[in-house]
Amino acid sequence: MFLPRRAPLALAAALLAAIVLAGCDGDTASRAEEKGPGKAPRSVRVVPAAEAPLPDVVEVTGTLAAQDEVVLGTKVAGRLAEVAVDLGSRVRRGQVLARLAPADFVLRVRQAAAALEQARARLGLAAGDAADAIEPERTAVVKQAKAVLTEASARRARAQALFREKLLPQADLDAAEASYQVAESQYQDARDEALNRHGVVDQRRSELDLARQQLVDSVLVAPFAGAVSERHATAGEFVAAGQPVVTLVRTHPLRLRLRLAVPERAAGRVRVGQEVRVAVEGDSRAYRGRVARVGPAIDATDRTLKVEAEVPNDDGALRAGSFVGAQVVTAADRPVLLVPVSALVTFAGIEKVLAVEEGKAVEKRVRTGRRAGDRVEVLEGLAAGELVVVSPGNLVDGQAVTVER
């Protein structure tokens, strides 16, 4: 079949036109994309960095300890007849904690009382007479010796008179003189014996008082109000003098020992009387106390200051031995710059916030201090009144933002 020569030329022209049109369509689409809206600004919620009063505090940790803790035992040995308390028992001052079997102590009291009456009788005291009121001259033994001495003195005087008149030989005078000297010595011995018997009465009285005191000491009583933290013995057990029976702790007020957490750099700010705020793990209540004692020196081993605070514990909610966190309020409220904790972004140890300036997010590195609830103190890197993004998430520096109204 024969074709005209202009047919191939027409086909080539058609193909060229198609290519040109395709290229034009691609450029048009590209230019349309360039003129499109781009990435949309992100909507964010902002709050201003605001100044608010916040007290100056020292963050510490410590352990709650009882104000007083004592291991109690009886002052005398014996067999326990009763232990009236157990672990956790709350007691008042003077309450009976344990008793020894009283029979032996009652018998000792009776024995000492009988010995005292015997000594009083030998001294010649009637019932109800006080030994201090009796003089040696009034005792029977001294009265008897004094009578003998008086008789010997009179006999000697008569013998001397008769001897001067030469009516009595020298031998009889010497015998009368000797009798007088013997009577005088017996009188002095009688006085000494009376004084000795007086001393015996005092000794027997002391023995009776001691026996009565041992009877009292056979009953173990609480020296202060508190709670039993441990029971060491049971009824029927023989205990030696001073052997532990119960351990008693005073639970109000408690003493908060802050011995390992007050750093040296903050030691100079801690004073007696400052307020202490205590938080116990697992307890939502806030407890407050006062610094009661401050150590005189820094511990050279860990560079910390020993501090003790007293915390009221009327209802017994706090338990000795609990680990706590505490704040020692070293200064009154002063204005500080605060932002929400949720506005803080931390990465690789670097803290920052994202502020909003001229419709864009601006990253700012900050240094933070104390926390106050859901807010944190900003020490540097931010000025009061600057708008910071709350919960920035993956927001980046320079990204366009719109502020929620």
Side-chain angles (χ1 to χ4, degrees):
M1 184 175 176
F2 179 77
L3 293 175
R5 292 178 63 87
R6 60 174 179 261
L9 296 175
L11 180 59
L15 290 173
L16 181 60
I19 292 171
V20 171
L21 288 174
C24 292
D25 290 342
D27 292 342
T28 302
S30 178
R31 287 192 297 270
E33 184 178 354
E34 290 178 357
K35 294 180 181 180
K39 191 174 183 180
R42 177 174 165 179
S43 178
V44 295
R45 185 167 64 90
V46 298
V47 295
E51 287 189 344
L54 190 67
D56 185 19
V57 299
V58 176
E59 299 281 348
V60 291
T61 56
T63 303
L64 288 175
Q67 177 76 2
D68 294 299
E69 181 173 349
V70 60
V71 179
L72 298 174
T74 57
K75 292 176 63 178
V76 293
R79 192 169 303 280
L80 280 172
E82 175 191 10
V83 180
V85 294
D86 210 330
L87 176 66
S89 299
R90 296 196 172 274
V91 299
R92 63 185 183 277
R93 181 178 181 180
Q95 180 176 335
V96 174
L97 305 178
R99 299 177 188 271
L100 298 179
D104 292 346
F105 303 101
V106 172
L107 291 176
R108 290 172 191 167
V109 170
R110 293 177 180 173
Q111 184 181 30
L116 174 61
E117 290 305 317
Q118 183 181 18
R120 288 171 57 86
R122 292 196 63 193
L123 190 58
L125 294 174
D129 289 345
D132 293 339
I134 299 298
E135 298 178 358
E137 298 293 336
R138 297 174 54 189
T139 60
V141 64
V142 175
K143 288 180 179 179
Q144 181 180 0
K146 188 175 182 179
V148 173
L149 177 61
T150 301
E151 181 183 0
S153 178
R155 190 181 305 116
R156 184 186 67 165
R158 288 194 298 271
Q160 289 173 345
L162 292 173
F163 179 78
R164 285 193 298 268
E165 295 178 0
K166 300 186 183 296
L167 298 177
L168 188 70
Q170 182 66 43
D172 290 343
L173 177 62
D174 293 341
E177 184 66 29
S179 298
Y180 173 80
Q181 292 179 359
V182 170
E184 187 178 32
S185 297
Q186 290 176 346
Y187 172 73
Q188 189 62 43
D189 287 342
R191 285 182 56 85
D192 294 341
E193 177 64 18
L195 292 174
N196 181 60
R197 292 180 183 181
H198 193 285
V200 171
V201 170
D202 290 340
Q203 180 182 354
R204 296 293 182 262
R205 183 183 296 110
S206 297
E207 291 174 353
L208 177 59
D209 292 340
L210 181 60
R212 288 171 175 169
Q213 184 61 48
Q214 288 179 340
L215 178 60
V216 173
D217 292 338
S218 68
V219 180
L220 184 62
V221 298
F224 52 78
V228 176
S229 64
E230 189 173 357
R231 173 177 170 176
H232 304 279
T234 58
E237 181 179 349
F238 186 89
V239 293
Q243 180 177 334
V245 177
V246 296
T247 298
L248 184 66
V249 297
R250 190 196 301 271
T251 56
H252 171 69
L254 283 180
R255 177 182 302 166
L256 178 63
R257 293 179 180 168
L258 309 174
R259 298 194 170 186
L260 301 175
V262 180
E264 183 178 3
R265 63 178 179 274
R269 295 152 52 193
V270 179
R271 299 284 187 274
V272 173
Q274 290 173 340
E275 181 184 7
V276 178
R277 301 171 182 176
V278 181
V280 182
E281 186 175 356
D283 191 344
S284 60
R285 295 173 56 185
Y287 300 92
R288 297 178 184 271
R290 293 283 174 183
V291 175
R293 287 161 288 276
V294 177
I298 300 294
D299 191 334
T301 58
D302 54 10
R303 312 309 305 173
T304 58
L305 179 69
K306 296 180 180 179
V307 176
E308 291 185 354
E310 290 184 352
V311 183
N313 190 32
D314 301 300
D315 57 358
L318 295 174
R319 296 181 182 274
S322 300
F323 181 79
V324 300
Q327 294 178 332
V328 180
V329 181
T330 58
D333 292 349
R334 58 184 181 86
V336 297
L337 191 63
L338 298 174
V339 297
V341 175
S342 59
L344 189 66
V345 178
T346 304
F347 179 75
I350 299 175
E351 297 176 317
K352 61 183 179 179
V353 296
L354 289 165
V356 175
E357 295 179 2
E358 299 179 355
K360 293 183 179 181
V362 179
E363 181 181 296
K364 296 196 172 187
R365 292 180 59 175
V366 297
R367 185 168 65 90
T368 61
R370 297 160 292 163
R371 293 202 176 192
D374 60 351
R375 297 185 297 172
V376 62
E377 177 187 11
V378 177
L379 300 175
E380 59 181 40
L382 199 64
E386 290 192 73
L387 300 178
V388 296
V389 178
V390 179
S391 302
N394 59 355
L395 186 65
V396 296
D397 183 38
Q399 185 173 343
V401 295
T402 58
V403 177
E404 295 180 4
R405 300 296 181 183

